[in-house]
Amino acid sequence: MQISTETNFSGVAENHPWSAQFTVLGYADGAISTLPHQFFRDWLDQEPQSGHFYIGRGSCFGVGSLVKYDSGQQSLCVGRYVAGGSRLSFILNGQHEMRTVSTFMLSILGGDLKNSPPPQYPDTVIKNDVWIGDEAMVLGGSVIENGCVIGARSLLPPNFRSEPYGIYAGSPARLIRYRFTEKVRAALLELAWWEMPLEWVRNNNAMFLEDLCADEAKALLVINILKSSRQQWEAEHGGVAD
């Protein structure tokens, strides 16, 4: 099992107050990410021996959540500032071949029996600033775009694709509405605040408390202030550092 994260990873915070429930990943800038214990599972409900997982800083999954691997071909990539609820399920594959006589995995019965290799979904990707409600299920090959909200107990079917800043719910999940107007969404994607160091977020924290839904003109003004702050930071620091 290959688990990777950002270059400023500083180690597992074994003495963190949440360490009884989570593996807490620490970062040099003071950020954390959390993974519930027994998060990685295979079809035997054991720790998988293969597969890939990446997580960005500031991303957390709730107690009882799991990601299921059944081969080394599967990957789950999680961006920054992803807020995952409790008891989430990420089923990265789990497919059976349906184009042959039987869907059954005859090879598990032994005696030189064979079955066709199971089909594989593409990588599953959760981008940045995503909120996933409790008990949602995400099937393999899904891509959740920046700024999305996924409602509690939603089912994201295989190869699901979202729009940035969309709110999705249901089984199967469908677009309910967007979080912001089209102009505000475009401005936020251009800002890409999640690319900035945590120190920059701290310095601009007051702007993160502003309501971006009540008045579009005011929302665009807030985002423009943040854009100017980002440009100033990059000029002073020679770009965006980890």
Side-chain angles (χ1 to χ4, degrees), residues 29-100:
D29 59 5
I32 63 169
S33 293
T34 66
L35 301 173
H37 298 318
Q38 296 190 326
F39 183 58
F40 303 104
R41 312 310 292 166
D42 65 13
W43 71 284
L44 294 172
D45 197 27
Q46 297 175 344
E47 190 83 14
Q49 300 302 306
S50 59
H52 181 260
F53 176 79
Y54 175 89
I55 188 168
R57 67 173 180 264
S59 290
C60 303
F61 293 98
V63 171
S65 297
L66 65 85
V67 52
K68 179 188 172 190
Y69 293 80
D70 62 22
S71 85
Q73 301 178 54
Q74 290 136 30
S75 173
L76 174 60
C77 181
V78 180
R80 295 176 176 176
Y81 305 105
V82 172
S86 299
R87 298 176 297 281
L88 305 181
S89 298
F90 300 92
I91 312 300
L92 300 189
N93 201 55
Q95 295 193 83
H96 290 211
E97 180 58 78
M98 296 189 295
R99 298 175 298 179
T100 52

Side-chain angles (χ1 to χ4, degrees), residues 8 10 16 24-33 57-58 198-199 202:
N8 68 337
S10 60
H16 192 278
V24 181
L25 310 180
Y27 299 87
D29 59 5
I32 63 169
S33 293
R57 67 173 180 264
L198 185 58
E199 183 180 350
R202 289 193 183 101

Side-chain angles (χ1 to χ4, degrees), residues 6-223:
E6 307 212 21
T7 56
N8 68 337
F9 173 63
S10 60
V12 175
E14 296 181 355
N15 295 321
H16 192 278
W18 298 345
S19 60
Q21 294 80 27
F22 302 97
T23 299
V24 181
L25 310 180
Y27 299 87
D29 59 5
I32 63 169
S33 293
T34 66
L35 301 173
H37 298 318
Q38 296 190 326
F39 183 58
F40 303 104
R41 312 310 292 166
D42 65 13
W43 71 284
L44 294 172
D45 197 27
Q46 297 175 344
E47 190 83 14
Q49 300 302 306
S50 59
H52 181 260
F53 176 79
Y54 175 89
I55 188 168
R57 67 173 180 264
S59 290
C60 303
F61 293 98
V63 171
S65 297
L66 65 85
V67 52
K68 179 188 172 190
Y69 293 80
D70 62 22
S71 85
Q73 301 178 54
Q74 290 136 30
S75 173
L76 174 60
C77 181
V78 180
R80 295 176 176 176
Y81 305 105
V82 172
S86 299
R87 298 176 297 281
L88 305 181
S89 298
F90 300 92
I91 312 300
L92 300 189
N93 201 55
Q95 295 193 83
H96 290 211
E97 180 58 78
M98 296 189 295
R99 298 175 298 179
T100 52
V101 169
S102 175
T103 61
F104 191 77
M105 297 288 193
L106 294 169
S107 59
I108 70 171
L109 301 178
D112 296 325
L113 286 169
K114 298 179 180 179
N115 51 260
S116 297
Q120 295 291 323
Y121 293 128
D123 293 349
T124 302
V125 178
I126 305 171
K127 295 192 178 180
N128 307 284
D129 191 20
V130 171
W131 173 28
I132 306 176
D134 289 354
E135 298 185 358
M137 177 178 286
V138 180
L139 300 186
S142 296
V143 177
I144 304 176
E145 291 287 345
N146 295 312
C148 278
V149 174
I150 307 298
R153 293 195 171 181
S154 294
L155 171 63
L156 276 59
N159 301 312
F160 174 85
R161 295 292 184 273
S162 73
E163 295 288 335
Y165 289 98
I167 299 175
Y168 293 82
S171 178
R174 61 182 181 86
L175 178 64
I176 305 300
R177 63 179 176 86
Y178 291 102
R179 291 175 57 194
F180 308 114
T181 66
E182 184 176 357
K183 288 183 178 179
V184 171
R185 297 197 306 271
L188 284 168
L189 291 173
E190 183 179 355
L191 172 63
W193 67 267
W194 46 81
E195 296 177 352
M196 299 301 291
L198 185 58
E199 183 180 350
W200 179 89
V201 176
R202 289 193 183 101
N203 293 343
N204 291 277
N205 192 203
M207 293 293 100
F208 283 71
L209 309 182
E210 295 288 341
D211 185 345
L212 301 186
C213 294
D215 184 310
E216 182 181 74
K218 181 180 178 182
L220 293 173
L221 176 61
V222 168
I223 297 170

